[in-house]
């Protein structure tokens, strides 16, 4: 794909961001890496895999993907409304319900530019989450968490089977669903920039709540109407937020220490 009228939008992690016009006249969004990187390939694979959930999956289309460039449609911004929030809640529930049959994913994963262990596993989810998400990032974050913080997260790992609630089938989840990765257009809300994998559906909702999202109550209500959440799901929100908070400690250091410790305490009840 040839691009013209390229406008620099700055950088994010280890890649640059651009707006451009494609040779067919479409406005596009471009992520570009200086060197070969598995990050963009993983993002493209995740977007395409999420889109396999069905024609109404709320996922941005991949126009072009390579080792050094990812091209997506330019999404015209819209204002969050009750209608678009409720639509997103229903569409997210349907995407989750298209179970991939296993936890993990058939590609090397990343969150930001940190590697994620996507080893495929039929479960159970609590041990997969503890071994593939919590433990690796606890090692990365240990220096900033301190001994007391590390011990709290270790307790969560030890007690994960009790804390995780009733078993659920693997869900097709976004995996990094903070509010910045939910783009509101005039017609709907669309997912971008996933760390997609087979996981627990409560993880996406917990991540969306972590830093706050517009119309969150309407999203959850529509989701719960379409696919009722298991009893006690609100009590498990800190458990599901613990992984992204550990990621933030690994990326940004001690400024996320208190929030991570509070999530571990909340998970333990």
């Amino acid at each position: 794909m040839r691009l013209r009228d390229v406008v620099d939008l700055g950088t994010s992690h280890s890649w640059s961001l651009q707006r451009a016009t494609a040779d067919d006249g479409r406005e596009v969004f471009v992520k570009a890496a200086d060197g070969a990187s598995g990050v963009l390939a993983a993002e493209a694979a995740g977007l395409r895999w999420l889109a396999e959930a069905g024609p109404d999956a709320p996922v941005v289309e991949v126009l072009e993907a390579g080792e050094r460039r990812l091209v997506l449609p330019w999404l015209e911004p819209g204002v969050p409304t009750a209608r678009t929030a409720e639509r997103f809640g229903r569409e997210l529930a349907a995407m989750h319900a298209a179970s991939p049959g296993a936890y993990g994913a058939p590609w090397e994963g990343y969150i930001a530019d940190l590697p994620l262990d996507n080893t495929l596993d039929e479960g159970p989810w609590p041990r997969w989450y503890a071994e593939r998400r919590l433990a690796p990032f606890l090692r990365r974050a240990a220096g900033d968490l301190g001994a007391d913080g590390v011990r709290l997260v270790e307790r969560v790992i030890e007690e994960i089977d009790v804390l995780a609630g009733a078993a659920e089938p693997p869900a097709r989840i976004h995996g990094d669903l903070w509010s910045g990765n939910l783009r509101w257009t005039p017609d709907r809300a669309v997912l971008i920039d996933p760390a997609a994998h087979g996981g627990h559906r409560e993880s996406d909702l917990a991540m969306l709540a972590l830093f706050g999202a517009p119309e969150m109550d309407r999203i959850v209500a529509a989701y719960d109407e379409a696919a009722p959440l298991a009893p006690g799901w609100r009590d498990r929100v800190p458990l599901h937020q613990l992984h992204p908070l550990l990621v933030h400690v690994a990326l940004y250091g001690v400024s996320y220490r208190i929030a991570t410790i509070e999530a571990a305490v909340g998970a333990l009840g």
Side-chain angles (χ1 to χ4, degrees), residues 70-122:
L70 175 64
V71 183
L72 310 171
W74 181 263
L75 299 174
E76 289 298 331
V79 177
T81 66
R83 179 183 62 83
T84 52
E86 290 166 1
R87 177 180 177 179
F88 175 69
R90 293 189 295 270
E91 290 178 341
L92 182 66
M95 187 184 81
H96 285 169
S99 176
Y103 301 103
W107 61 83
E108 184 179 356
Y110 289 87
I111 188 164
D113 48 9
L114 297 178
L116 277 176
D117 184 349
N118 271 348
T119 300
L120 287 167
D121 194 325
E122 293 183 358

Side-chain angles (χ1 to χ4, degrees), residues 168-229:
E168 293 206 7
R172 194 177 297 254
I173 73 170
H174 178 280
D176 189 16
L177 188 47
W178 72 287
S179 58
N181 287 339
L182 180 61
R183 290 300 172 92
W184 300 86
T185 75
D187 298 320
R188 67 192 303 207
V190 180
L191 297 170
I192 64 168
D193 199 13
H197 63 278
H200 198 301
R201 62 187 183 134
E202 292 175 10
S203 294
D204 269 354
L205 293 174
M207 182 63 175
L208 193 58
L210 182 57
F211 301 115
E215 301 287 352
M216 185 68 190
D217 288 345
R218 290 185 183 274
I219 292 171
V220 172
Y223 184 108
D224 193 40
E225 182 178 355
L229 292 155

Side-chain angles (χ1 to χ4, degrees), residues 139-259:
R139 290 192 289 270
R140 286 181 174 271
D144 289 310
L145 281 182
D148 291 345
V150 169
R151 182 57 192 145
L152 278 169
V153 179
E154 288 175 341
R155 281 186 57 200
V156 173
I157 291 172
E158 291 164 4
E159 300 177 28
I160 189 78
D161 292 329
V162 175
L163 301 175
E168 293 206 7
R172 194 177 297 254
I173 73 170
H174 178 280
D176 189 16
L177 188 47
W178 72 287
S179 58
N181 287 339
L182 180 61
R183 290 300 172 92
W184 300 86
T185 75
D187 298 320
R188 67 192 303 207
V190 180
L191 297 170
I192 64 168
D193 199 13
H197 63 278
H200 198 301
R201 62 187 183 134
E202 292 175 10
S203 294
D204 269 354
L205 293 174
M207 182 63 175
L208 193 58
L210 182 57
F211 301 115
E215 301 287 352
M216 185 68 190
D217 288 345
R218 290 185 183 274
I219 292 171
V220 172
Y223 184 108
D224 193 40
E225 182 178 355
L229 292 155
W233 71 270
R234 291 185 187 276
D235 296 332
R236 292 186 292 274
V237 166
L239 173 65
H240 291 274
Q241 290 178 342
L242 190 53
H243 169 245
L245 284 167
L246 286 169
V247 171
H248 276 70
V249 176
L251 286 170
Y252 306 115
V254 72
S255 60
Y256 283 93
R257 176 180 181 272
I258 291 175

